[in-house]
Amino acid sequence: MKKMRIGLIFIAIVLIILGWGAHKEKVQKQQINTILNNQQDVNQIVVMNHQTNKEKELNKSEAAQYKEENPLSHIEKLDSGDRKLFADKADYSITYRIDSKKLYSVEILRLKGKDAAISDELRPFLFNVNGKSYMIYWPEQNKVLEQSENTQKLLNNLIKVE
């Protein structure tokens, strides 16, 4: 009888863990679908420079030239070992909005040292701005994104203005 109870408890724990994992995956897929379906409607981009504590809001015409055309085209999980290669705090954060409502936010992480320690998996996610290597990090999902072409242009233009 005692073994049966222990077995039932073990099965319940396994089912709870599997259910939680399925729920997290479903939420992640919903977030990705929402972003993909609504990216063309982005009409505001807010960039926060954490080094100077200045915020820059781009209106509809400015946002149109800097929003990523193919968001989330390549996503990878960021392992804790790889995360340590980047500065603890993001240099910039970028929020994409539709009519003042947040669609999603990313952080721009700066590589601490030379990019020689970066794995071949992460190398495509790096981009350079003003001589520094950066990567786009999606903190809500602990993922890195390879949508850097327009983000790189945006950061280059912001740095020139500052």
Side-chain angles (χ1 to χ4, degrees):
M1 189 69 160
K2 190 174 184 178
K3 288 182 183 181
M4 188 171 164
R5 242 186 263 149
I6 292 172
L8 288 174
I9 290 171
F10 179 73
I11 290 172
I13 291 171
V14 168
L15 289 174
I16 289 170
I17 291 171
L18 290 174
W20 178 250
H23 172 72
K24 282 181 65 175
E25 187 173 324
K26 180 181 174 186
V27 167
Q28 178 183 352
K29 285 182 180 180
Q30 286 175 337
Q31 282 183 315
I32 290 171
N33 284 334
T34 299
I35 292 168
L36 292 175
N37 293 334
N38 296 298
Q39 179 65 17
Q40 71 279 0
D41 298 328
V42 168
N43 56 15
Q44 292 173 305
I45 298 176
V46 178
V47 181
M48 178 64 179
N49 182 336
H50 295 289
Q51 299 158 341
T52 62
N53 285 329
K54 290 184 181 178
E55 186 175 275
K56 171 76 172 161
E57 186 171 330
L58 306 176
N59 61 27
K60 188 174 184 172
S61 63
E62 293 170 315
Q65 63 181 323
Y66 294 118
K67 67 182 177 183
E68 294 293 343
E69 295 302 318
N70 298 307
L72 314 179
S73 60
H74 187 188
I75 306 171
E76 289 290 331
K77 185 171 177 24
L78 184 62
D79 296 325
S80 59
D82 289 329
R83 177 63 178 95
K84 292 176 183 176
L85 298 172
F86 294 87
D88 294 334
K89 294 184 180 180
D91 283 3
Y92 303 91
S93 59
I94 302 174
T95 303
Y96 297 88
R97 296 181 179 171
I98 300 172
D99 298 327
S100 299
K101 185 180 174 191
K102 177 183 161 185
L103 179 60
Y104 71 109
S105 288
V106 295
E107 293 180 348
I108 310 300
L109 302 178
R110 180 181 31 84
L111 189 62
K112 285 182 185 175
K114 302 236 185 251
D115 60 7
I118 292 292
S119 67
D120 289 338
E121 278 182 0
L122 283 182
R123 201 165 294 282
F125 295 92
L126 290 178
F127 62 95
N128 291 309
V129 174
N130 207 25
K132 296 178 183 173
S133 294
Y134 291 98
M135 181 174 60
I136 301 173
Y137 176 62
W138 189 13
E140 291 176 35
Q141 296 293 332
N142 190 33
K143 308 263 184 191
V144 292
L145 311 176
E146 192 182 357
Q147 60 174 43
S148 62
E149 186 177 315
N150 288 338
T151 303
Q152 185 175 357
K153 289 178 191 173
L154 172 62
L155 293 176
N156 273 324
N157 288 338
L158 286 177
I159 289 172
K160 287 178 188 176
V161 172
E162 293 176 349

